[in-house]
Structure formats: C-alpha cells, structure tokens
Amino acid sequence: MPATDALPLAEGEKQRLLRISIDLHVHTRRYSACAPTLAPGQIVDILNSGQLDGVVLTDHDILWPKDEIRALNANLRRGRIYRGMEASSRNGHFILIGVEDVRGIHPGSPLSTLQSAAHAQGGVVIWAHPHQCYGQITQPLDDTRLPVGIDAIEVASTVTTARAATAARGLARRYGLPMVAGSDAHCAAAVGQALTRFAQLPADEAALAEMIRSGLCTPHVLDPILEACS
C-alpha cells in the first residue's frame, strides 16, 4: 500500500512498529558557523557506530550539494545521510526536506515562498522549534490562525524547553499535523538526543518527505536531553 494511502498509526502501534531512528535536524561546521566543532565526518562515525539509522543535514539557509552528500554516504557501512535545509524565514525557522532547488529562498523570505518552492517539488515544510523568536523573525506566526501548508511540527529538540514542547504538541494536535523531533545539534554529543522514528529507512529525501507528510513517524527524545553543547 503506498504511503499516501496508509491510515495514520495509533500511538501504541507507532512505538511498537517504528524502529528506524532519524535525526531530522543537524548542523555541521561545513556550512553553519554556529557549529564549529561538528565535522561532517563525525556524522559518518555516529551512523557507523549504530547510534542512529539516519541524519538529515540542515545547515542554515543552504542546501548541501548532491555530490558532497553522495561522498559522505559512500563512507557509511550502514544508515543514510540526507540533505535538507533550515530556512530562516521572516515568519520563523523551517526545515525543508525533499527539495532539490532552493533558488529564490533567502534569509528573511516569507513562509509562503518556502511553501511554494517545497510543495512544487514534493518536499515538506516543518516548523522548527515553534515559539522561539530569533532576531530575523520579524513577523512571527500567530498559532491561533496557523496558515495552511505547514506539513509537520517539530515538538522536541535540544533547544526546546518542556513548556515549549507541550505547546508544540498541542499545536500539532489542534491542526492535525504530524509531530517530529530533531536534535538541532551543533556538536557531536547532541546528535540523536531528539529524533524521529520510522518503520523503514527511506531510500532518499523524497521518500523521507512523503513519510513525514503522511504521518508515518513518531517523535522520540532521550531522557535526559542535553540542553547545550559544552
């Protein structure tokens, strides 16, 4: 049965069936200056050690070149590294997955621009760490009138407080959106502290995006979660 035709899984079924762990939100020093200690090769080591099955590299406002992702995957004995992007919209930060062309997306672009680009390519738009406001967020979303076109809500990360996590889960339930989690790691110790579980390892970014859009996933957080890189 295609993922798009699958019925949403009950929470108990998700915990039993979804065993593949993917961190959907990781930064590296290659393209994110705020992650000076996290080298891409460390991601390879983490996956080869069996700590995780997959990682999405979501450096700020840049999509990794395909050939560089291919080179990283060539060093893996197991699992997969995917490419995504954390876009710094004027309305908030959003993770884009399943997008090949990000021309026209720039820091400060409106959410509508991200949605148009992602959905035209079959990708997904995930609201990262909702309710956190950064300097470039000049028009934060009103979560009482959430715009159509957000595909999932990140309900946990290493920068998400317990209160914000509760609010994010409530938001996802209110709008019937899938919940995901990603570490927002900026150092190796944080990778995998928050992750999303799937029933199988997606073959590529398009398959990963479709599984997220269809709600065939569940968030998972290590206890206790790291709050910062030391």
Side-chain angles (χ1 to χ4, degrees), residues 155-175:
V155 299
S157 76
T158 57
V159 301
T160 304
T161 65
R163 176 183 235 174
T166 298
R169 286 179 177 272
L171 188 66
R173 292 190 185 100
R174 187 156 70 246
Y175 289 96

Side-chain angles (χ1 to χ4, degrees), residues 139-154:
Q139 299 172 14
L141 295 182
D142 178 357
D143 63 16
T144 65
R145 294 181 297 167
L146 203 62
V148 174
I150 294 174
D151 300 294
I153 303 288
E154 182 184 82

Side-chain angles (χ1 to χ4, degrees), residues 77-92:
R77 295 188 297 273
R78 61 178 308 284
R80 189 174 185 90
I81 296 172
Y82 305 89
R83 64 181 192 150
M85 182 175 82
E86 182 175 1
S88 306
S89 160
R90 72 180 62 164
N91 307 118

